[in-house]
Amino acid sequence: MRRFSLGQRLTLLFILLLMLCAAVACAVQLWASTQYGNAMVQRLSGGLAQQIARHEPILDARGNVDRRTLRPLFDRLMTFNPSVELYVISPDGDLLADGAPPGHIQRQKIAIAPVQAFLGGAPMPVLGDDPRSQHQKVFSATPLRQEGVLKGYLYIILQGEESNALAAMAWRQALWSTALWSLLLVALFGLLAGLLAWYWVTRPVKQLTAEVAGQENITAIKALAAQPLQPADGNEVAQLRNTFIGLARKIATQWDQLADSDRQRREFIATLSHDLRTPLTSLLGYLETLSLKATSLTPQEQQHYLATAMRQGQKVRHLSQQLFELARLEYGGIKPQRERFAMGELVSDVAQKFELTARTRELNLHIDVPGPLPLVNADVSMIERVMTNLLDNAIRHTPVGGEIRLTVWQENAQLQVEVADSGTGVDAALRDDLFQRPSVLNPQASRENRGGLGLLIVKRMLELHGGGIRLMDSVSGARFRFFVPL
C-alpha cells in the first residue's frame, strides 16, 4: 500500500475539511432557503382561503358540503393558480371535498393542530399535512361557519404537486450548479492549501530531514551542533530544528567527554606502566645481582641489596593497592557505611597516630577544634583515610622544625576540615591537575610532586559523601580544605 507524504496527507486533509464545510454550508443554505421560501409564500398567500370563502359559496343553504358543486369551483380556482390545491375538511380534520384527480389522495384525515396554530397567529412558516403526499407543506386556512356554528375549514395547500415538480426541477439544476462550483472552489482552495502546507511545513521539514539524515559521523554532528538556533516563537518546525541542534550539541559534548576520558585512560595506563616499571626494574636488578654474586658479596652488601629490593617491592605493592582501591571507588565497588560520629574526636585520634612521627621530625602539630560540633553522618573509615592521607602528605613535605595545623569548624550545613603545613607548598603548574589522573605526557606532574594516587582517592571518597576538596591559596606551605555535609 502506498504511503502518502506529509504534504499529500495535509492536502487531502484540507480538501476533506473543505468538502465537509461546503456540504454543511450547502445543506444549511438549502434549509434556510426552503424555510424562507415557505414563510414568504405563506405570508403572501395566507389570506387566500379567507378571500375565497368570502366570495365563493363553499357551504349550501343547510350548511353542508356538496362535492359535486365544489368540484367545478375548485377546478376553476386551480386553473387560475395551478400552484394551489383546495380542500374542505371537517372540524376534526376529515377530508370532505377536494379537486384532486382520481388516485392522488393519500390521506383522508389531516392533523387539525397546525390549522388551529395557523389561525391562532403562530410564527410562520406553519406546516400542515398534504392530503396528496406524506409530507407537510405551507397552507392557508379559514373556518367555515353557518349561523355561528363551525362546519369545517377551507384548507388550501399553497405549493401543490405541479408547483413541487417545477420547484424540484429548478432545485436540481441549482443543486448541480452549486455542487459543481463547490467542487471547483474546493479543488482550488485545496490546491492553495497544499501549496501553503508544502511551503510552510513540508519544505522546512524536508530540509531539516536532509540535514539530520546526513549526520553519519561525529564531524557532521559537530557541524550541525555549530549552527545557530532560530527564533521559534510559535514555529513548531523551528522548535524541532532547535531540538535537533540541542541534541547534536549534547552528543558532541558527550563525544568530547568520552574522547577526553579515553585519552586520560591511555595516559593513565602509560603513567602506571612507567611507575611500575621503575621499582620493578630496580627490584629485579638487585635480585639478579644477589643471584649472580651471592658468593662474592659480603653479608653487609647482601643485607643492603635485600633491603633495597624490599623497599622497591613495597612500592609496587602500595601502588597496586592504591590502583585497586581507586578502581573500586570509581566503578561503585565501595559504598559508604554511614554512621553518626564526632569529627573533632576523629581528628584527635588521627593526629595522635602521627605524634611520634612528628616528634621525630621535630614538627609542631596543632589541633584547633572549637566548642561542641554537630555529629556528622558519614563513613568513619573513609573520613579517617582522608585525614590520614592529607596529614601524611603534610608531614612528608614539611621540613624539620616546621608546623602543621589541623582545624575543624562548622559552616552552614557542612563541617569544614583544613590541613595546613609550612612546607614548600604545591607548584602553580601542578594546581590544575592536582586531583586528576596523572599523565606521563606531563613531565612536571611526577608522582612524587603530586602525592601519588592518594589525593585522587581522597577526592573520590569525599564525592561519595556529597563533599569535596580543594587546595587553598597560601603564603607558605600547602592548605588542603575538605567538607562533609551534616
Side-chain angles (χ1 to χ4, degrees):
M1 181 179 178
R2 180 187 174 188
R3 298 181 64 87
F4 294 102
S5 65
L6 177 61
Q8 292 172 336
R9 282 180 284 176
L10 289 175
T11 302
L12 290 176
L13 177 61
F14 286 137
I15 290 176
L16 290 176
L17 289 176
L18 287 173
M19 292 181 66
L20 178 61
C21 292
V24 172
C26 289
V28 171
Q29 183 179 6
L30 290 175
W31 179 83
S33 298
T34 302
Q35 290 293 101
Y36 177 77
N38 289 338
M40 290 299 297
V41 169
Q42 197 165 40
R43 283 192 179 95
L44 291 174
S45 303
L48 180 60
Q50 186 177 5
Q51 294 294 328
I52 293 176
R54 184 182 301 169
H55 296 90
E56 299 291 343
I58 305 300
L59 300 176
D60 58 16
R62 294 177 296 178
N64 297 324
V65 177
D66 189 351
R67 287 177 177 266
R68 292 176 299 174
T69 305
L70 292 178
R71 182 61 180 259
L73 174 62
F74 286 177
D75 291 342
R76 176 167 55 84
L77 293 176
M78 288 189 293
T79 301
F80 293 144
N81 188 357
S83 64
V84 299
E85 298 171 355
L86 284 77
Y87 304 92
V88 177
I89 60 175
S90 69
D92 295 330
D94 295 322
L95 197 63
L96 301 179
D98 64 84
H104 282 233
I105 297 298
Q106 297 186 20
R107 301 185 199 218
Q108 293 296 330
K109 186 181 183 63
I110 64 173
I112 203 65
V115 177
Q116 295 174 349
F118 173 79
L119 296 175
M124 296 182 183
V126 179
L127 302 181
D129 293 339
D130 179 17
R132 298 193 188 187
S133 69
Q134 297 300 320
H135 304 106
Q136 289 188 322
K137 298 179 181 180
V138 291
F139 63 91
S140 175
T142 187
L144 300 176
R145 301 180 183 274
Q146 182 77 19
E147 297 180 357
V149 180
L150 181 64
K151 299 296 185 177
Y153 299 94
L154 178 60
Y155 185 73
I156 303 176
I157 296 296
L158 299 177
Q159 293 176 331
E161 289 180 329
E162 296 184 8
S163 176
N164 286 341
L166 293 175
M169 184 181 300
W171 273 115
R172 280 195 296 270
Q173 293 177 353
L175 183 61
W176 279 109
S177 177
T178 303
L180 179 60
W181 280 106
S182 298
L183 289 175
L184 290 176
L185 290 176
V186 167
L188 178 61
F189 285 112
L191 179 61
L192 179 60
L195 291 175
L196 293 177
W198 173 83
Y199 183 79
W200 283 334
V201 180
T202 307
R203 184 178 61 89
V205 169
K206 284 186 176 180
Q207 292 176 351
L208 179 60
T209 303
E211 291 179 5
V212 176
Q215 313 305 316
E216 298 178 354
N217 52 60
I218 190 60
T219 303
I221 293 177
K222 287 186 175 181
L224 178 61
Q227 295 186 14
L229 299 177
Q230 294 181 349
D233 295 337
N235 188 343
E236 291 81 2
V237 177
Q239 292 176 0
L240 181 62
R241 183 178 185 276
N242 293 343
T243 302
F244 278 117
I245 292 176
L247 180 61
R249 290 178 179 178
K250 288 183 180 179
I251 293 175
T253 301
Q254 292 175 353
W255 178 272
D256 292 338
Q257 292 174 350
L258 289 174
D260 184 66
S261 177
D262 184 67
R263 177 186 58 78
Q264 291 183 6
R265 179 185 60 81
R266 288 185 277 106
E267 292 179 3
F268 189 49
I269 293 175
T271 303
L272 292 179
S273 300
H274 174 269
D275 290 345
L276 287 172
R277 184 172 62 249
T278 301
L280 283 175
T281 300
S282 177
L283 174 62
L284 292 175
Y286 279 102
L287 291 177
E288 185 177 1
T289 301
L290 283 173
S291 176
L292 295 175
K293 299 182 178 181
T295 57
S296 60
L297 294 176
T298 63
Q300 291 79 9
E301 290 176 332
Q302 291 180 1
Q303 187 64 31
H304 171 71
Y305 288 166
L306 285 174
T308 304
M310 182 68 70
R311 286 197 301 273
Q312 298 303 321
Q314 289 175 350
K315 285 184 178 180
V316 173
R317 184 184 64 180
H318 180 67
L319 181 58
S320 62
Q321 289 176 344
Q322 285 187 325
L323 288 174
F324 179 70
E325 186 174 16
L326 179 61
R328 294 182 64 196
L329 286 171
E330 290 188 335
Y331 296 102
I334 299 179
K335 301 294 183 182
Q337 304 298 320
R338 297 177 181 269
E339 59 179 298
R340 306 196 70 83
F341 63 90
M343 182 67 77
E345 295 180 2
L346 182 61
V347 169
S348 300
D349 293 342
V350 173
Q352 189 175 5
K353 293 193 302 183
F354 288 91
E355 282 185 357
L356 181 60
T357 304
R359 193 179 302 114
T360 302
R361 296 176 60 88
E362 300 179 5
L363 301 177
N364 296 318
L365 185 59
H366 300 282
I367 301 176
D368 185 7
V369 179
L373 295 172
L375 300 180
V376 64
N377 186 27
D379 190 311
V380 178
S381 61
M382 284 191 180
I383 303 302
E384 181 181 3
R385 174 69 185 278
V386 168
M387 287 192 290
T388 299
N389 185 285
L390 294 177
L391 192 55
D392 180 67
N393 286 343
I395 290 177
R396 286 190 292 107
H397 292 89
T398 302
V400 176
E403 180 178 321
I404 299 175
R405 183 175 296 275
L406 284 170
T407 308
V408 184
W409 72 96
Q410 181 181 359
E411 186 173 308
N412 298 325
Q414 301 171 349
L415 276 186
Q416 302 279 346
V417 181
E418 184 174 277
V419 180
D421 62 65
S422 60
T424 57
V426 180
D427 191 86
L430 302 177
R431 286 177 175 267
D432 294 337
D433 299 326
L434 194 60
F435 298 100
Q436 303 298 326
R437 292 179 181 272
S439 172
V440 74
L441 303 180
N442 185 2
Q444 293 181 323
S446 63
R447 174 98 29 213
E448 289 78 9
N449 291 334
R450 290 175 53 88
L453 293 174
L455 290 179
L456 187 57
I457 293 175
V458 164
K459 180 184 177 184
R460 295 290 187 268
M461 285 183 173
L462 291 173
E463 287 176 347
L464 289 177
H465 289 82
I469 185 172
R470 56 177 172 162
L471 177 64
M472 308 298 296
D473 294 332
S474 178
V475 178
S476 62
R479 288 172 55 208
F480 288 92
R481 181 182 298 176
F482 70 89
F483 71 91
V484 180
L486 292 176

